[in-house]
Structures are given as structure tokens and as C-alpha cells.
């Protein structure tokens, strides 16, 4: 397992993250096995959100592992807030953030979060309110560090102007079959769809500003269209290239799909959504596979992307 520090923190993190969005599908014993498998594989980072299972995922997680001080110190816990699922809107109000964190801490059976992310951008955000909430959470010891999810550079700049804490994480969708944060930079100034800059150069912005990117849905085709691995009907060339490279390194296709992300010099963390312990092990083998530049580009082009 490869580890590196998240800049502007004292956290040394695994580049593979166990995500907990789907663990309501499992029994407590199965969840415990998944968590312990993650720990055994070297994962020290666990991602949550207050909307996952309506909060049930956080509660199941802490119950399954029988959360206590000893176990807590072996984990870096991150959760997200800012989505009001009851009424279907985003809410970055001070009241909502504070109430959400209290609920998260109670469900996870912990006194603090290592990182709190604001989930999706709230166009009605009052940054002064967010700043007050962050100060209260940080000063009380409930949250050590802060970040965002699915935010563009201007949204981050607006928030950073008012808050006193440095934003250290941005969670973004990225997989071999979903690469808009990479595409426009490669196809700059070309009159093709790939050159359209849809995210205001967020990848470069995060690297320039020491913000760690966390890649969610690393095996999905687009916005929940299904996994591309094994989908030989829609991605025949991509699967062939990945399978050939997997054979070379004596790993599964899941490991290569993971390694394609971890090979990027931005030190991107990969958020796993699997509830299968063996698939989690397979993914972890991609933590530090040294894909060559030729292999990385072969995979990128096999997904249908142009390298001019």
C-alpha cells in the first residue's frame, strides 16, 4: 500500500480509501469482515456521508467494528454533509452543518472527524455562515480538517476567502471511462468535444493549491451507467488492453483500473465502493503498480480518447 501526506495536515493516508455508501446491503458480520480486510490490506482511510443509507451506513460501520478508542486511532475517518435528502436540496447553512456533524459523530461513535467535506455545491451558500460553522467545529475539536466534494475552482476560492481553515480535499468523479478533468487539457484548442473545458481546470487548480483529489466511482462508466470492466459490448478495446496489462503484472483488471488513477502524479486517492472483500483486495493491488507512460496512454486511448 502506498501512503503519502495530505498537505497542510498531519495525516499520512493510504492512496486507497474504503467507501461506505453501500454497506446497508451487508450483515454486520460481513461489514466487519470488509473493514478488517481493508485494515489488513493497509487501508487507513474510511469515507462516509450523512446521506449514505440515510445515516444508517455510519451507524452500521461503528457497530460492526465495535468502535472504541483503540480502533479509532487506527483509522482516518472522513464524512460529508450539506445535502438535505428529506426535501431534496443542498444546505450549507451553519445550523445544518453543525447539526449534521453532531449526528455523524454520534453514529460513528467518535468524538471527532479527521476530515469533513461539504458534499455538493450549494448555490445559496453564505460563506460567512460556513466560516462560523467551521470555526465552531474546529475550535471544539469535533473536526480537524475540512474539504469539499464536486466543487470547481471558483467555488473553492469563494469559500476559502472567508474560512480560516485551509481546504485540503476535493472529491471528484474519475475513472478510465469518465475523464473530463483530464480530457480538455490534452485536447486544448481543438474544435472537438474532448477539448471542452467542463470543470474550469480543476485538476491543475487542486495541484497548484495543494488540494488532494479523491476519485469516486473509479470503475463506473459516466454518471452511474454501470461498470466498464467486463463490459466488452461497449468497451471491447479498453477491456482487451486492461486485461493484457493485468496479465503482465499478474493482477486482476480491477487492480489495473485502480493503478491507472494512482499512477497520476497528483497523488489521487481512489475511493472504493465495493462491498466484496475479494474485489477490495484486488483493488488494493493497484495501489502502487508502476504503470509505464506507454501503458497509461494505451489505456486512455483505448477508452476512446484522442491524444493529438
Amino acid at each position: 500500500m502506498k501512503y503519502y501526506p495530505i498537505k497542510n495536515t498531519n495525516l499520512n493516508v493510504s492512496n486507497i480509501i474504503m467507501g461506505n455508501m453501500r454497506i446497508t446491503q451487508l450483515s454486520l458480520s460481513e461489514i466487519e469482515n470488509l473493514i478488517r480486510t481493508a485494515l489488513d490490506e493497509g487501508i487507513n482511510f474510511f469515507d462516509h456521508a450523512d446521506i449514505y443509507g440515510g445515516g444508517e451506513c455510519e451507524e452500521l460501520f461503528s457497530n460492526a467494528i465495535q468502535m472504541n478508542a483503540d480502533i479509532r486511532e487506527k483509522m482516518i475517518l472522513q464524512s460529508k454533509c450539506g445535502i438535505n435528502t428529506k426535501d431534496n436540496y443542498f444546505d450549507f447553512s451553519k445550523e445544518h452543518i453543525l447539526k449534521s456533524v453532531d449526528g455523524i459523530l454520534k453514529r460513528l461513535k467518535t468524538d471527532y472527524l479527521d476530515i469533513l467535506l461539504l458534499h455538493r455545491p450549494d448555490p445559496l451558500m453564505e460563506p460567512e455562515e460556513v466560516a462560523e460553522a467551521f470555526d465552531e467545529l474546529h475550535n471544539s475539536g469535533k473536526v480537524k480538517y475540512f474539504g469539499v466534494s464536486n466543487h470547481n475552482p471558483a467555488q473553492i476560492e469563494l469559500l476559502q476567502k472567508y474560512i480560516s481553515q485551509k481546504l485540503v480535499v476535493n472529491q471528484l468523479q474519475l475513472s478510465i471511462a469518465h475523464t473530463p478533468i483530464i480530457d480538455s487539457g490534452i485536447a486544448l484548442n481543438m474544435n472537438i468535444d474532448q477539448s471542452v473545458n467542463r470543470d474550469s481546470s480543476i485538476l491543475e487548480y487542486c495541484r497548484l493549491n495543494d488540494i488532494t483529489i479523491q476519485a469516486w466511482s473509479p470503475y463506473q462508466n459516466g454518471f452511474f451507467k454501470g461498470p466498464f470492466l467486463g463490459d466488452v459490448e461497449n468497451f471491447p478495446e479498453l477491456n482487451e488492453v486492461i486485461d493484457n496489462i493485468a496479465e503482465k503484472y499478474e493482477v486482476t483488471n480491477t487492480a489495473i483500473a485502480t493503478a491507472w488513477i494512482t499512477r497520476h502524479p497528483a497523488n489521487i486517492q481512489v475511493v472504493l465502493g465495493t462491498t466484496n472483500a475479494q474485489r477490495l483486495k484486488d483493488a488494493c493491488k493497484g495501489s502502487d503498480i508502476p504503470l509505464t507512460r506507454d501503458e497509461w496512454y494505451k489505456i486512455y486511448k483505448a477508452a476512446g480518447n484522442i491524444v493529438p
Side-chain angles (χ1 to χ4, degrees):
M1 182 64 64
K2 184 177 181 180
Y3 301 89
Y4 41 70
I6 290 183
K7 293 180 179 179
N8 298 297
T9 77
N10 66 354
L11 303 176
N12 196 48
V13 302
S14 54
N15 67 349
I16 307 296
I17 296 173
M18 178 180 158
N20 291 275
M21 186 171 71
R22 298 183 177 91
I23 60 172
T24 53
Q25 303 168 9
L26 306 177
S27 66
L28 281 180
S29 61
E30 289 171 330
I31 296 170
E32 181 185 10
N33 179 57
L34 192 65
I35 297 169
R36 295 200 182 278
T37 299
L39 291 168
D40 290 344
E41 291 296 313
I43 293 175
N44 67 357
F45 202 110
F46 297 84
D47 176 69
H48 296 269
D50 61 354
I51 66 166
Y52 294 166
E56 187 180 359
C57 289
E58 292 168 330
E59 192 168 5
L60 288 171
F61 180 91
S62 62
N63 288 340
I65 201 66
Q66 299 177 43
M67 185 66 74
N68 57 55
D70 181 59
I71 293 172
R72 177 66 182 91
E73 290 307 306
K74 296 175 183 177
M75 296 178 167
I76 296 169
L77 291 182
Q78 170 180 281
S79 194
K80 301 180 283 292
C81 73
I83 299 178
N84 182 322
T85 54
K86 179 182 178 182
D87 300 305
N88 192 30
Y89 59 76
F90 305 135
D91 190 347
F92 284 7
S93 66
K94 178 181 178 180
E95 179 184 10
H96 183 82
I97 293 171
L98 295 179
K99 182 179 179 181
S100 296
V101 171
D102 284 342
I104 291 167
L105 297 179
K106 182 179 179 180
R107 291 188 293 271
L108 286 174
K109 294 183 173 63
T110 183
D111 295 328
Y112 69 97
L113 286 175
D114 292 287
I115 304 177
L116 174 71
L117 305 185
L118 296 178
H119 210 151
R120 282 190 175 274
D122 175 13
L124 299 183
M125 175 186 72
E126 297 285 354
E128 298 92 340
E129 257 195 271
V130 177
E132 290 178 11
F134 280 12
D135 282 344
E136 190 168 323
L137 291 169
H138 187 262
N139 294 338
S140 66
K142 291 180 179 180
V143 178
K144 287 187 175 182
Y145 305 106
F146 299 87
V148 293
S149 181
N150 308 298
H151 279 56
N152 67 30
Q155 291 163 337
I156 294 172
E157 286 284 336
L158 175 61
L159 188 55
Q160 192 67 77
K161 177 181 177 180
Y162 291 89
I163 65 173
S164 55
Q165 300 81 17
K166 178 75 170 67
L167 294 171
V168 298
V169 164
N170 190 10
Q171 199 170 100
L172 300 164
Q173 186 177 7
L174 173 65
S175 76
I176 296 167
H178 182 87
T179 54
I181 67 172
I182 294 171
D183 296 339
S184 61
I186 287 180
L188 179 69
N189 202 33
M190 297 181 68
N191 191 23
I192 59 174
D193 184 65
Q194 185 179 319
S195 68
V196 177
N197 189 341
R198 294 179 169 85
D199 49 49
S200 306
S201 302
I202 188 63
L203 173 60
E204 291 78 13
Y205 174 86
C206 287
R207 294 183 73 182
L208 284 167
N209 289 276
D210 294 333
I211 297 173
T212 295
I213 293 174
Q214 297 173 347
W216 60 269
S217 286
Y219 314 119
Q220 282 283 329
N221 167 25
F223 194 66
F224 301 119
K225 294 180 181 178
F228 61 85
L229 290 175
D231 183 359
V232 294
E233 180 179 350
N234 295 303
F235 297 95
E237 183 183 356
L238 177 59
N239 276 279
E240 182 180 2
V241 169
I242 289 175
D243 288 346
N244 288 338
I245 295 174
E247 185 176 355
K248 170 189 170 182
Y249 287 99
E250 299 182 331
V251 295
T252 65
N253 57 1
T254 301
I256 298 303
T258 306
W260 187 84
I261 298 173
T262 60
R263 170 63 177 82
H264 197 282
N267 284 336
I268 298 170
Q269 290 182 283
V270 180
V271 185
L272 306 182
T274 184
T275 56
N276 183 292
Q278 184 56 54
R279 198 168 295 122
L280 184 146
K281 289 182 179 181
D282 293 342
C284 287
K285 287 183 170 60
S287 166
D288 202 19
I289 291 177
L291 290 181
T292 65
R293 184 175 257 99
D294 178 66
E295 290 165 343
W296 191 91
Y297 274 104
K298 274 184 178 177
I299 292 170
Y300 181 72
K301 289 186 287 185
N305 299 301
I306 295 173
V307 176

